[in-house]
Coordinates of all heavy atoms in Angstrom, one line a residue:
M1 N 191.4 96.1 165.7 CA 191.8 96.6 164.4 C 191.2 97.9 164.2 O 190.1 98.2 164.6 CB 191.3 95.6 163.3 CG 192.0 94.3 163.3 SD 191.3 93.1 162.1 CE 189.9 92.5 163.1
V2 N 191.9 98.8 163.5 CA 191.5 100.2 163.3 C 191.5 100.5 161.8 O 192.4 100.1 161.1 CB 192.4 101.2 164.0 CG1 192.0 102.6 163.8 CG2 192.4 100.9 165.5
F3 N 190.4 101.1 161.4 CA 190.2 101.5 160.0 C 189.9 103.0 160.0 O 189.0 103.4 160.6 CB 189.0 100.7 159.4 CG 188.8 100.9 158.0 CD1 189.5 100.1 157.0 CD2 188.0 101.8 157.4 CE1 189.2 100.2 155.7 CE2 187.7 102.0 156.1 CZ 188.4 101.2 155.2
Q4 N 190.7 103.8 159.3 CA 190.5 105.2 159.2 C 189.8 105.5 157.9 O 190.1 105.0 156.8 CB 191.8 105.9 159.3 CG 191.6 107.5 159.4 CD 192.8 108.1 160.0 OE1 193.7 107.6 160.6 NE2 192.9 109.4 159.7
T5 N 188.7 106.4 158.0 CA 188.0 106.7 156.8 C 187.4 108.1 157.0 O 187.5 108.7 158.1 CB 186.9 105.7 156.5 OG1 186.3 106.0 155.3 CG2 185.8 105.7 157.6
K6 N 186.8 108.6 156.0 CA 186.1 109.9 156.0 C 184.7 109.7 155.5 O 184.5 109.0 154.5 CB 186.9 110.9 155.2 CG 186.3 112.4 155.2 CD 187.4 113.3 155.1 CE 186.9 114.8 155.1 NZ 185.7 115.2 155.8
F7 N 183.7 110.3 156.1 CA 182.3 110.2 155.7 C 181.9 111.6 155.2 O 182.1 112.6 155.8 CB 181.4 109.8 156.9 CG 181.5 108.4 157.3 CD1 182.3 108.0 158.3 CD2 180.9 107.4 156.6 CE1 182.5 106.7 158.7 CE2 181.0 106.1 157.0 CZ 181.8 105.7 158.0
D8 N 181.2 111.6 154.0 CA 180.8 112.8 153.3 C 179.3 112.9 153.4 O 178.7 113.9 152.9 CB 181.3 112.9 151.9 CG 182.8 112.9 151.9 OD1 183.4 113.6 152.8 OD2 183.4 112.4 151.0
S9 N 178.5 111.9 153.9 CA 177.1 111.9 153.8 C 176.5 111.1 155.0 O 177.2 110.2 155.6 CB 176.6 111.4 152.5 OG 176.8 110.0 152.4
L10 N 175.3 111.4 155.3 CA 174.5 110.6 156.3 C 174.3 109.2 155.7 O 174.2 108.2 156.5 CB 173.2 111.3 156.6 CG 173.3 112.5 157.5 CD1 171.9 113.1 157.7 CD2 173.9 112.2 158.8
T11 N 174.2 109.0 154.4 CA 174.0 107.7 153.9 C 175.2 106.8 154.3 O 175.0 105.6 154.7 CB 173.9 107.7 152.3 OG1 172.9 108.6 151.9 CG2 173.7 106.4 151.7
G12 N 176.4 107.3 154.2 CA 177.6 106.5 154.6 C 177.5 106.1 156.1 O 177.8 105.0 156.5
L13 N 177.0 107.0 156.9 CA 176.9 106.7 158.4 C 175.8 105.7 158.6 O 175.9 104.8 159.4 CB 176.6 108.0 159.1 CG 177.7 109.0 159.2 CD1 177.2 110.3 160.0 CD2 178.9 108.4 159.9
A14 N 174.7 105.8 157.9 CA 173.6 104.8 158.0 C 174.1 103.4 157.5 O 173.7 102.4 158.1 CB 172.4 105.2 157.1
E15 N 174.9 103.4 156.5 CA 175.5 102.1 156.0 C 176.4 101.5 157.2 O 176.4 100.3 157.3 CB 176.3 102.3 154.8 CG 175.4 102.6 153.6 CD 176.2 103.0 152.3 OE1 177.4 103.1 152.4 OE2 175.5 103.2 151.3
L16 N 177.2 102.3 157.8 CA 178.1 101.9 158.9 C 177.2 101.3 160.0 O 177.5 100.3 160.6 CB 179.0 103.0 159.4 CG 179.9 102.6 160.6 CD1 180.8 101.4 160.3 CD2 180.6 103.8 161.1
Q17 N 176.1 102.0 160.4 CA 175.3 101.5 161.4 C 174.7 100.2 161.1 O 174.7 99.3 162.0 CB 174.1 102.6 161.6 CG 173.2 102.2 162.8 CD 172.0 103.1 162.9 OE1 171.6 103.7 161.9 NE2 171.5 103.2 164.1
Q18 N 174.3 100.0 159.9 CA 173.7 98.7 159.5 C 174.8 97.6 159.6 O 174.6 96.5 160.0 CB 173.2 98.7 158.0 CG 171.9 99.5 157.9 CD 171.4 99.7 156.5 OE1 172.2 99.4 155.6 NE2 170.2 100.1 156.4
L19 N 176.0 98.0 159.1 CA 177.1 97.0 159.2 C 177.4 96.7 160.6 O 177.6 95.5 161.0 CB 178.4 97.7 158.5 CG 179.7 96.9 158.7 CD1 179.6 95.5 158.0 CD2 180.8 97.7 158.1
A20 N 177.4 97.7 161.5 CA 177.7 97.4 162.9 C 176.6 96.5 163.5 O 176.9 95.6 164.4 CB 177.7 98.7 163.7
A21 N 175.4 96.6 163.1 CA 174.3 95.8 163.6 C 174.4 94.3 163.1 O 174.0 93.4 163.9 CB 172.9 96.4 163.2
Q22 N 175.1 94.1 162.0 CA 175.3 92.8 161.5 C 176.5 92.1 161.9 O 176.7 90.9 161.8 CB 175.3 92.8 159.9 CG 173.9 93.3 159.3 CD 174.0 93.6 157.8 OE1 175.1 93.6 157.3 NE2 172.9 93.8 157.2
A23 N 177.5 92.9 162.4 CA 178.8 92.4 162.8 C 178.7 91.5 164.0 O 177.9 91.6 164.9 CB 179.7 93.5 163.1
D24 N 179.6 90.5 164.0 CA 179.7 89.5 165.1 C 180.4 90.0 166.4 O 180.3 89.4 167.4 CB 180.4 88.3 164.6 CG 181.8 88.5 164.1 OD1 182.1 89.6 163.6 OD2 182.7 87.6 164.2
K25 N 181.0 91.2 166.3 CA 181.7 91.8 167.5 C 181.4 93.3 167.5 O 181.0 93.8 166.4 CB 183.2 91.6 167.4 CG 183.5 90.1 167.5 CD 185.0 89.8 167.6 CE 185.2 88.3 167.7 NZ 186.6 88.0 167.6
P26 N 181.5 94.0 168.6 CA 181.2 95.4 168.6 C 182.0 96.2 167.6 O 183.2 95.9 167.3 CB 181.6 95.8 170.0 CG 181.6 94.6 170.8 CD 181.9 93.5 169.9
V27 N 181.4 97.3 167.1 CA 182.1 98.2 166.2 C 181.9 99.6 166.8 O 180.8 100.0 167.2 CB 181.4 98.2 164.8 CG1 182.0 99.2 163.9 CG2 181.5 96.8 164.2
Y28 N 183.0 100.3 166.9 CA 183.0 101.6 167.5 C 183.5 102.6 166.5 O 184.3 102.3 165.6 CB 183.9 101.7 168.8 CG 183.5 100.7 169.8 CD1 184.1 99.5 170.0 CD2 182.5 101.1 170.7 CE1 183.7 98.6 170.9 CE2 182.0 100.2 171.7 CZ 182.7 99.0 171.8 OH 182.3 98.1 172.8
I29 N 183.1 103.9 166.6 CA 183.6 104.9 165.8 C 184.1 106.0 166.7 O 183.5 106.3 167.7 CB 182.5 105.4 164.8 CG1 183.1 106.4 163.8 CG2 181.3 106.0 165.5 CD1 182.2 106.7 162.6
A30 N 185.3 106.5 166.4 CA 186.0 107.5 167.3 C 186.6 108.6 166.4 O 186.9 108.5 165.2 CB 187.0 106.8 168.1
N31 N 186.8 109.8 167.1 CA 187.5 110.8 166.4 C 189.0 110.5 166.4 O 189.5 109.5 167.0 CB 187.3 112.2 167.1 CG 187.6 112.2 168.5 OD1 188.0 111.2 169.1 ND2 187.5 113.4 169.1
E32 N 189.8 111.3 165.8 CA 191.2 111.0 165.5 C 192.0 110.8 166.8 O 192.9 110.0 166.9 CB 191.9 112.1 164.7 CG 191.5 112.1 163.3 CD 192.2 113.1 162.4 OE1 192.1 114.3 162.8 OE2 192.9 112.7 161.5
D33 N 191.8 111.6 167.9 CA 192.5 111.5 169.1 C 191.8 110.6 170.1 O 192.3 110.4 171.2 CB 192.8 112.8 169.7 CG 191.5 113.5 170.2 OD1 190.4 113.0 170.0 OD2 191.7 114.7 170.7
D34 N 190.8 109.9 169.7 CA 190.0 108.9 170.5 C 189.4 109.5 171.8 O 189.1 108.9 172.8 CB 190.9 107.8 170.9 CG 190.1 106.5 171.1 OD1 189.0 106.4 170.6 OD2 190.6 105.6 171.8
S35 N 189.2 110.9 171.8 CA 188.6 111.5 172.9 C 187.1 111.3 173.0 O 186.4 111.4 174.0 CB 188.9 113.0 173.0 OG 188.3 113.6 171.8
I36 N 186.5 111.0 171.8 CA 185.1 110.6 171.7 C 185.0 109.2 170.9 O 185.6 109.1 169.9 CB 184.2 111.6 170.9 CG1 184.3 113.0 171.6 CG2 182.8 111.1 170.7 CD1 183.7 114.1 170.7
R37 N 184.4 108.3 171.6 CA 184.3 106.9 171.0 C 182.9 106.5 171.3 O 182.5 106.5 172.5 CB 185.3 105.9 171.6 CG 185.1 104.5 170.9 CD 186.0 103.5 171.6 NE 187.4 103.7 171.3 CZ 188.3 102.8 171.5 NH1 188.0 101.6 171.9 NH2 189.6 103.0 171.2
V38 N 182.1 106.1 170.3 CA 180.7 105.6 170.5 C 180.5 104.3 169.7 O 181.2 104.0 168.8 CB 179.7 106.7 169.9 CG1 179.8 108.0 170.7 CG2 179.9 107.0 168.5
D39 N 179.4 103.6 170.2 CA 179.0 102.5 169.5 C 178.4 102.8 168.2 O 177.5 103.6 168.1 CB 178.0 101.7 170.4 CG 177.6 100.4 169.9 OD1 177.6 100.1 168.7 OD2 177.1 99.6 170.7
A40 N 178.9 102.2 167.1 CA 178.4 102.5 165.7 C 177.0 102.1 165.5 O 176.4 102.5 164.5 CB 179.4 101.9 164.7
R41 N 176.4 101.3 166.4 CA 175.0 100.9 166.2 C 174.1 102.1 166.7 O 172.9 102.1 166.3 CB 174.7 99.7 167.0 CG 175.4 98.4 166.5 CD 175.1 97.3 167.4 NE 175.7 97.6 168.7 CZ 175.6 96.8 169.8 NH1 174.9 95.7 169.7 NH2 176.2 97.2 170.9
S42 N 174.7 103.0 167.4 CA 173.9 104.2 168.0 C 174.0 105.3 167.0 O 175.0 106.1 167.0 CB 174.4 104.6 169.3 OG 173.8 105.8 169.7
F43 N 172.9 105.5 166.2 CA 172.9 106.6 165.3 C 173.1 108.0 165.9 O 173.8 108.9 165.5 CB 171.7 106.6 164.3 CG 171.9 107.4 163.1 CD1 172.7 106.9 162.1 CD2 171.2 108.6 162.9 CE1 172.9 107.7 160.9 CE2 171.4 109.3 161.8 CZ 172.2 108.8 160.7
L44 N 172.3 108.1 167.0 CA 172.4 109.4 167.8 C 173.8 109.6 168.4 O 174.4 110.7 168.3 CB 171.4 109.4 169.0 CG 171.2 110.7 169.7 CD1 170.8 111.8 168.8 CD2 170.1 110.5 170.8
G45 N 174.5 108.5 168.9 CA 175.8 108.6 169.4 C 176.8 109.0 168.3 O 177.7 109.8 168.5
M46 N 176.6 108.5 167.1 CA 177.5 108.8 166.0 C 177.4 110.3 165.6 O 178.4 110.8 165.0 CB 177.1 108.0 164.7 CG 177.5 106.5 165.0 SD 176.9 105.3 163.7 CE 177.5 106.0 162.3
L47 N 176.3 111.0 165.9 CA 176.2 112.4 165.5 C 177.0 113.2 166.5 O 177.2 114.4 166.2 CB 174.8 112.8 165.5 CG 173.8 112.1 164.5 CD1 172.5 112.6 164.6 CD2 174.4 112.4 163.1
A48 N 177.7 112.7 167.5 CA 178.5 113.4 168.4 C 179.9 113.7 167.8 O 180.7 114.5 168.4 CB 178.7 112.7 169.7
L49 N 180.2 113.1 166.7 CA 181.5 113.2 166.1 C 181.6 114.3 165.0 O 180.6 114.6 164.4 CB 182.0 111.9 165.5 CG 182.2 110.8 166.5 CD1 182.2 109.4 165.8 CD2 183.5 111.0 167.3
D50 N 182.8 114.9 164.8 CA 183.0 115.8 163.8 C 183.5 115.1 162.5 O 184.5 114.6 162.5 CB 184.1 116.8 164.2 CG 184.5 117.8 163.2 OD1 183.8 117.9 162.1 OD2 185.4 118.6 163.4
Y51 N 182.6 115.1 161.5 CA 183.0 114.4 160.2 C 183.7 115.2 159.2 O 183.9 114.8 158.1 CB 181.7 113.7 159.7 CG 181.2 112.7 160.6 CD1 180.1 112.9 161.5 CD2 181.7 111.4 160.6 CE1 179.7 112.0 162.4 CE2 181.3 110.5 161.5 CZ 180.3 110.7 162.4 OH 179.9 109.8 163.2
S52 N 184.1 116.4 159.6 CA 184.9 117.2 158.6 C 186.3 116.7 158.6 O 187.1 117.1 157.7 CB 184.8 118.7 159.0 OG 185.5 118.9 160.2
K53 N 186.7 115.9 159.6 CA 188.0 115.2 159.6 C 187.8 113.7 159.6 O 186.7 113.2 159.8 CB 188.6 115.6 161.0 CG 188.8 117.1 161.2 CD 189.3 117.3 162.6 CE 189.4 118.8 162.8 NZ 189.8 119.2 164.1
P54 N 188.9 113.0 159.2 CA 188.7 111.5 159.2 C 188.3 111.0 160.6 O 188.7 111.6 161.6 CB 190.1 111.1 158.8 CG 190.7 112.2 158.1 CD 190.2 113.4 158.8
V55 N 187.7 109.8 160.6 CA 187.4 109.2 161.9 C 188.0 107.8 161.9 O 188.3 107.3 160.8 CB 185.8 109.1 162.1 CG1 185.2 110.5 162.3 CG2 185.1 108.4 161.0
R56 N 188.0 107.2 163.0 CA 188.6 105.8 163.2 C 187.4 104.8 163.5 O 186.6 105.1 164.4 CB 189.6 105.8 164.3 CG 190.8 106.7 163.9 CD 191.8 106.9 165.0 NE 192.0 105.6 165.7 CZ 192.2 105.5 167.0 NH1 192.2 106.5 167.8 NH2 192.3 104.3 167.5
I57 N 187.4 103.7 162.8 CA 186.5 102.7 163.1 C 187.2 101.6 163.8 O 188.3 101.1 163.2 CB 185.7 102.2 161.9 CG1 185.0 103.3 161.2 CG2 184.8 101.1 162.2 CD1 184.4 103.1 159.9
I58 N 186.8 101.1 164.9 CA 187.5 100.2 165.8 C 186.7 99.0 166.0 O 185.6 99.1 166.5 CB 188.0 100.9 167.1 CG1 188.7 102.2 166.8 CG2 188.7 99.9 168.0 CD1 188.7 103.2 167.9
T59 N 187.2 97.8 165.7 CA 186.5 96.5 165.8 C 187.4 95.4 165.8 O 188.5 95.5 165.2 CB 185.4 96.4 164.8 OG1 184.6 95.3 165.1 CG2 185.9 96.3 163.4
D60 N 187.0 94.3 166.3 CA 187.7 93.0 166.2 C 187.0 92.1 165.2 O 187.3 90.9 165.1 CB 187.8 92.3 167.6 CG 188.9 93.0 168.4 OD1 189.9 93.6 167.9 OD2 188.7 92.9 169.6
S61 N 186.0 92.6 164.6 CA 185.2 91.8 163.7 C 185.8 91.8 162.3 O 185.9 92.8 161.6 CB 183.7 92.4 163.5 OG 183.0 91.8 162.5
M62 N 186.2 90.6 161.8 CA 186.8 90.5 160.5 C 185.8 90.7 159.4 O 186.1 91.3 158.4 CB 187.3 89.0 160.3 CG 188.5 88.7 161.3 SD 190.0 89.7 161.0 CE 190.5 89.2 159.4
Y63 N 184.5 90.4 159.7 CA 183.4 90.7 158.7 C 183.3 92.2 158.5 O 183.3 92.7 157.4 CB 182.1 90.1 159.2 CG 180.9 90.7 158.5 CD1 180.6 90.1 157.2 CD2 180.1 91.7 159.0 CE1 179.5 90.6 156.5 CE2 179.0 92.1 158.3 CZ 178.7 91.6 157.1 OH 177.6 92.1 156.4
A64 N 183.3 93.0 159.6 CA 183.2 94.4 159.5 C 184.4 95.0 158.8 O 184.2 95.9 157.9 CB 183.0 95.0 160.9
M65 N 185.6 94.6 159.1 CA 186.7 95.1 158.4 C 186.8 94.8 156.9 O 187.1 95.7 156.2 CB 188.0 94.6 159.1 CG 188.3 95.0 160.5 SD 188.4 96.9 160.6 CE 189.9 97.2 159.9
R66 N 186.3 93.6 156.6 CA 186.3 93.3 155.1 C 185.3 94.1 154.4 O 185.6 94.6 153.3 CB 186.0 91.8 155.0 CG 185.9 91.3 153.6 CD 187.3 91.3 153.0 NE 187.2 90.9 151.6 CZ 187.8 91.5 150.6 NH1 188.6 92.5 150.8 NH2 187.7 91.0 149.4
M67 N 184.1 94.3 155.0 CA 183.1 95.1 154.4 C 183.5 96.6 154.3 O 183.2 97.3 153.3 CB 181.8 95.1 155.2 CG 181.2 93.6 155.2 SD 180.9 93.0 153.5 CE 179.6 94.0 152.9
L68 N 184.2 97.1 155.2 CA 184.8 98.5 155.2 C 185.8 98.6 154.1 O 185.8 99.7 153.3 CB 185.4 98.9 156.5 CG 184.4 99.1 157.6 CD1 185.1 99.1 159.0 CD2 183.5 100.4 157.4
E69 N 186.7 97.6 153.9 CA 187.6 97.6 152.8 C 186.9 97.6 151.4 O 187.4 98.4 150.5 CB 188.6 96.4 152.9 CG 189.5 96.5 154.1 CD 190.3 95.2 154.4 OE1 190.0 94.3 153.7 OE2 191.1 95.2 155.3
I70 N 185.9 96.8 151.3 CA 185.1 96.8 150.1 C 184.5 98.1 149.8 O 184.6 98.6 148.6 CB 184.1 95.7 150.1 CG1 184.8 94.3 150.1 CG2 183.1 95.8 149.0 CD1 183.9 93.2 150.4
R71 N 183.9 98.7 150.8 CA 183.3 100.1 150.7 C 184.4 101.1 150.2 O 184.1 101.9 149.3 CB 182.7 100.5 152.0 CG 182.1 101.9 152.0 CD 181.6 102.2 153.4 NE 181.2 103.6 153.5 CZ 182.1 104.6 153.7 NH1 183.4 104.4 153.9 NH2 181.6 105.9 153.7
Q72 N 185.5 101.1 150.8 CA 186.5 102.0 150.5 C 187.0 101.9 149.0 O 187.2 102.8 148.3 CB 187.7 102.0 151.4 CG 188.8 103.0 151.1 CD 189.9 103.0 152.2 OE1 190.2 101.9 152.7 NE2 190.5 104.1 152.4
R73 N 187.2 100.6 148.6 CA 187.6 100.4 147.2 C 186.6 100.8 146.2 O 186.9 101.4 145.1 CB 187.9 98.9 147.0 CG 189.2 98.5 147.6 CD 189.6 97.1 147.2 NE 190.7 96.6 148.1 CZ 190.7 95.5 148.7 NH1 189.7 94.6 148.6 NH2 191.7 95.2 149.4
A74 N 185.3 100.6 146.6 CA 184.2 101.1 145.7 C 184.2 102.6 145.5 O 184.0 103.2 144.5 CB 182.9 100.6 146.2
Q75 N 184.4 103.3 146.7 CA 184.5 104.8 146.7 C 185.7 105.2 145.8 O 185.6 106.2 145.0 CB 184.6 105.3 148.1 CG 183.4 105.3 148.9 CD 183.5 105.8 150.3 OE1 184.6 105.8 150.8 NE2 182.4 106.3 150.8
E76 N 186.8 104.6 146.0 CA 188.0 105.0 145.2 C 187.8 104.8 143.7 O 188.2 105.6 142.9 CB 189.2 104.2 145.7 CG 189.7 104.6 147.1 CD 190.7 103.7 147.7 OE1 191.1 102.7 147.1 OE2 191.2 104.0 148.8
A77 N 187.2 103.7 143.3 CA 186.9 103.5 141.9 C 185.9 104.5 141.4 O 186.1 104.9 140.3 CB 186.3 102.0 141.8
Q78 N 184.9 104.8 142.2 CA 184.0 105.9 141.8 C 184.6 107.2 141.6 O 184.4 107.9 140.5 CB 182.9 106.0 142.8 CG 181.7 106.8 142.3 CD 180.6 106.9 143.3 OE1 180.8 106.8 144.5 NE2 179.4 107.0 142.9
V79 N 185.5 107.6 142.4 CA 186.3 108.9 142.3 C 187.2 108.8 141.0 O 187.3 109.8 140.3 CB 187.1 109.2 143.5 CG1 188.1 110.3 143.3 CG2 186.2 109.5 144.8
A80 N 187.9 107.7 140.8 CA 188.7 107.5 139.7 C 188.0 107.6 138.3 O 188.5 108.1 137.3 CB 189.5 106.3 139.8
A81 N 186.7 107.1 138.3 CA 185.9 107.1 137.1 C 185.5 108.5 136.7 O 185.2 108.7 135.6 CB 184.7 106.2 137.3
H82 N 185.4 109.4 137.7 CA 185.0 110.8 137.3 C 186.1 111.6 137.0 O 186.7 112.3 136.7 CB 184.2 111.4 138.5 CG 182.9 110.8 138.8 ND1 182.6 110.1 139.9 CD2 181.8 110.7 138.0 CE1 181.4 109.6 139.8 NE2 180.9 110.0 138.7

């Protein structure tokens, strides 16, 4: 499963790293063309990506996908409230 998102802060990346550590299956983060793909548990590896563009999160973990969907809805609600 692939989830496309955009990160605007290191806090979001740290949250993804924690989520990846808790997930029951591997979680990867990749750039749009998949030329760079790293394990989301590796904070140093995650810094290899360009976050000025959307990235793809790739996993077979239903837990991770559900948590990403919840995170995205919370962000959308926060933007709508402002």
